[in-house]
Amino acid sequence: MISSETFHVVTTELVVGAFSVSGLSFTLYLLVYFGILKRPSWESMFDNVAHFTLAFGLAATPFAILSGLSSSPGEGLNSPILVNKMFLSMTGFGFALGCLISRWRLGNAVWSSTKSSALHGASGLAACGAMLLTASAGGTFTRGESLLDIFHLPYQQVLLFPLLVSLTALLLGAVMLVIGWRRMNSISSIH
């Protein structure tokens, strides 16, 4: 039987690798789209790789989170670093899910204008950035160091909101989700 610590290392590497390739592909796609990289024939390849690896990383994320919780010393989220890891991974999960749903519902239309391309690429890159920050926090927690130590990130501080701010954010998020879902359905009914 494989230990939860070993399983966490394997799933974490899958997540980090997938999100890294996805972030690189989103970056290269945007460079081609905006004419900085002069290879228009590569757009389709970078688009497919970015979204496939984003979906793969998204599928592996729950396994990394659950194995990380079961393998962490103590009673779960007893460290500010672990709380930050949870916040960052959930944020990355949300960005990735939103990016994939918009690509699935809108198809190539997500790349139809400069504004939508920039927004879609930014959401994909935000998902990748949040997951790589999660991995950096994990390195800080387990080894006391990470690749991003040169930035002196405040992993030991947890940003907590008062109850009223949290409820307002939750309500705002639910309203935005409903509005977005209605707009996506109205767009799909036109086709």
Side-chain angles (χ1 to χ4, degrees):
M1 184 84 172
I2 189 169
S3 70
S4 59
E5 291 86 0
T6 302
F7 188 68
H8 181 63
V9 169
V10 170
T11 56
T12 300
E13 295 304 323
L14 287 173
V15 170
V16 169
F19 276 93
S20 296
V21 171
S22 180
L24 179 63
S25 297
F26 272 113
T27 301
L28 291 171
Y29 182 92
L30 291 172
L31 290 175
V32 170
Y33 181 85
F34 290 113
I36 298 167
L37 187 60
K38 307 281 188 224
R39 297 284 190 175
S41 61
W42 290 358
E43 277 186 355
S44 176
M45 176 186 61
F46 289 138
D47 176 40
N48 291 331
V49 171
H51 289 94
F52 177 80
T53 53
L54 192 66
F56 183 82
L58 190 66
T61 297
F63 297 105
I65 292 171
L66 294 175
S67 63
L69 287 174
S70 66
S71 67
S72 67
E75 298 293 322
L77 297 175
N78 58 355
S79 164
I81 296 175
L82 293 179
V83 174
N84 281 325
K85 279 184 65 172
M86 182 62 80
F87 284 158
L88 287 167
S89 63
M90 290 293 109
T91 301
F93 191 89
F95 273 120
L97 190 61
C99 187
L100 289 171
I101 288 173
S102 66
R103 179 64 174 88
W104 172 63
R105 297 285 293 174
L106 301 174
N108 283 333
V110 296
W111 304 115
S112 63
S113 72
T114 302
K115 183 179 176 182
S116 67
S117 295
L119 183 63
H120 188 70
S123 67
L125 289 171
C128 299
M131 288 304 187
L132 295 178
L133 282 172
T134 304
S136 175
T140 301
F141 181 73
T142 57
R143 296 180 304 277
E145 66 177 357
S146 78
L147 262 173
L148 301 179
D149 281 347
I150 59 172
F151 298 115
H152 305 291
L153 298 171
Y155 292 128
Q156 294 290 345
Q157 299 169 352
V158 178
L159 179 64
L160 297 176
F161 293 109
L163 183 60
L164 183 60
V165 174
S166 297
L167 290 175
T168 304
L170 180 64
L171 181 63
L172 182 62
V175 168
M176 289 173 62
L177 184 65
V178 169
I179 291 170
W181 192 257
R182 285 187 179 171
R183 284 189 180 172
M184 282 195 303
N185 285 333
S186 67
I187 289 171
S188 67
S189 65
I190 292 172
H191 294 292

